């Protein structure tokens, strides 16, 4: 029976770096005979966790489930019923985007108990992957962002499974660098990255998608 993968795009831009990586991943999943759905989080009307703790109420009807009803509710349900979830996010201020963070608060928090070791009560140990795209190069990412990103990855593993990771570093941010005030990034270098390196990252996303579930 075919499996279903939900791919969350945490970038506001459709058809840019993060979306394209998500799309390539989705194509890989489909190539393997499974289903993939990309959800653009910026299209959804929702906010982060309200700290209502209904998901932790003793004998409560919302144990293990985010009780706050809004646009994210059907997506959380879809993820809970899926076989794998992919978090695609640009790096904003050295972290996942605010919208992705809000989604993750609502998705993960109900699924771990306030008990020794924070045991997971997720209905399934979903397969997980994270797609990061960013302006900086690999070394800068390692030096500056790895502690923050490791913390996010730790929570994903706590609830579901150890995430596979793919990175697109040193991405191109604009179609035409001449139109923007942008003196510290070299447009020739960025164009070269876009033409030579980004297709390689897309292929990595495709291959991971193909072997994911
Ligand atoms: C508000 C904002 C903050 C950003 N902060 C960072 C950052 O801290 N580090 C970095 O490497 N790139 C940063 N970037 C660049 C994006 O992460 C990068 O261009 C990414 O590939 C964009 O993804 P997209 O093309 O899907 O929108 C930032 C971009 C924006 C708009």
């Amino acid at each position: 029976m075919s499996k279903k993968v939900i791919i969350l795009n945490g970038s506001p831009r459709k058809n840019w770096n993060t979306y394209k990586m998500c799309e390539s991943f989705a194509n890989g999943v489909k190539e393997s005979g499974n289903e993939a759905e990309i959800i653009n989080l910026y299209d959804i009307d929702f906010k982060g966790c309200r700290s209502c703790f209904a998901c932790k109420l003793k004998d409560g009807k919302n144990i293990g489930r985010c009780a706050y009803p809004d646009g994210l509710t059907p997506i959380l349900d879809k993820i809970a019923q899926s076989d794998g979830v992919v978090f695609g996010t640009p790096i904003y201020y050295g972290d996942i985007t605010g919208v992705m963070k809000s989604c993750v608060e609502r998705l993960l928090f109900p699924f771990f108990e306030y008990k020794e070791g924070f045991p997971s009560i997720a209905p399934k140990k979903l397969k997980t992957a994270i797609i990061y795209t960013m302006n900086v190069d690999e070394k800068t990412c390692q030096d500056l962002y790895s502690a923050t990103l490791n913390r996010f990855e730790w929570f994903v593993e706590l609830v579901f499974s150890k995430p596979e990771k793919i990175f697109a570093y040193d991405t191109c941010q604009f179609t035409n660098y001449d139109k923007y005030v942008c003196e510290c990034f070299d447009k020739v270098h960025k164009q070269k990255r876009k033409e030579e390196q980004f297709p390689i990252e897309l292929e990595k996303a495709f291959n991971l998608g193909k072997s994911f579930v």
Side-chain angles (χ1 to χ4, degrees):
M1 208 175 85
S2 90
K3 298 197 169 164
K4 175 97 190 240
V5 178
I6 303 294
I7 303 170
L8 303 170
N9 174 28
S11 168
R13 301 200 291 182
K14 287 177 203 156
N15 243 353
W16 272 82
N17 297 288
T18 314
Y19 182 84
K20 284 193 173 131
M21 291 287 282
C22 291
E23 188 178 47
S24 210
F25 193 104
N27 288 340
V29 171
K30 289 174 194 164
E31 176 83 7
S32 70
N34 295 295
E35 284 176 66
E37 180 181 349
I38 300 178
I39 294 171
N40 292 299
L41 290 178
Y42 275 78
D43 286 348
I44 315 292
D45 188 13
F46 76 102
K47 291 202 164 56
C49 174
R50 308 270 171 156
S51 202
C52 69
F53 292 107
C55 64
K56 308 243 181 287
L57 201 61
K58 274 185 189 166
D59 302 322
K61 65 177 175 23
N62 287 302
I63 286 278
R65 171 161 203 283
C66 179
Y68 193 83
D70 65 9
L72 197 65
T73 307
I75 290 154
L76 297 176
D77 289 343
K78 240 182 209 186
I79 295 171
Q81 286 155 25
S82 74
D83 299 287
V85 59
V86 180
F87 304 88
T89 181
I91 293 298
Y92 282 6
Y93 302 106
D95 204 342
I96 61 177
T97 58
V99 163
M100 179 58 84
K101 192 99 179 266
S102 294
C103 172
V104 165
E105 286 169 8
R106 302 265 305 276
L107 174 66
L108 300 186
F109 192 69
F111 283 151
F112 59 85
E113 289 187 300
Y114 272 1
K115 290 181 183 168
E116 183 68 36
F118 301 115
S120 171
I121 52 166
K124 278 194 221 166
K125 286 280 175 192
L126 302 185
K127 294 274 296 177
T128 60
I130 305 175
I131 296 167
Y132 295 113
T133 79
M134 67 197 79
N135 192 42
V136 299
D137 61 18
E138 182 169 1
K139 182 169 186 323
T140 311
C141 174
Q142 282 295 328
D143 292 347
L144 299 183
Y145 307 155
S146 61
T148 304
L149 301 182
N150 284 345
R151 198 167 51 236
F152 165 51
E153 292 155 20
W154 185 87
F155 278 106
V156 172
E157 184 173 358
L158 178 81
V159 167
F160 293 129
S161 60
K162 193 175 176 62
E164 308 265 10
K165 291 185 278 177
I166 22 178
F167 299 83
Y169 301 106
D170 205 353
T171 54
C172 206
Q173 289 194 79
F174 319 114
T175 310
N176 181 355
Y177 273 71
D178 290 332
K179 281 170 67 180
Y180 299 89
V181 181
C182 182
E183 291 173 7
C184 53
F185 305 120
D186 178 53
K187 67 175 181 182
V188 176
H189 168 77
K190 286 290 187 184
Q191 190 58 30
K192 201 163 161 346
R193 290 286 303 181
K194 186 177 170 185
E195 284 166 15
E196 292 174 12
Q197 191 58 35
F198 194 59
I200 296 172
E201 314 301 358
L202 289 175
E203 200 178 337
K204 283 187 200 157
F206 179 85
N207 288 334
L208 184 54
K210 206 168 149 186
S211 61
F212 189 57
V213 284

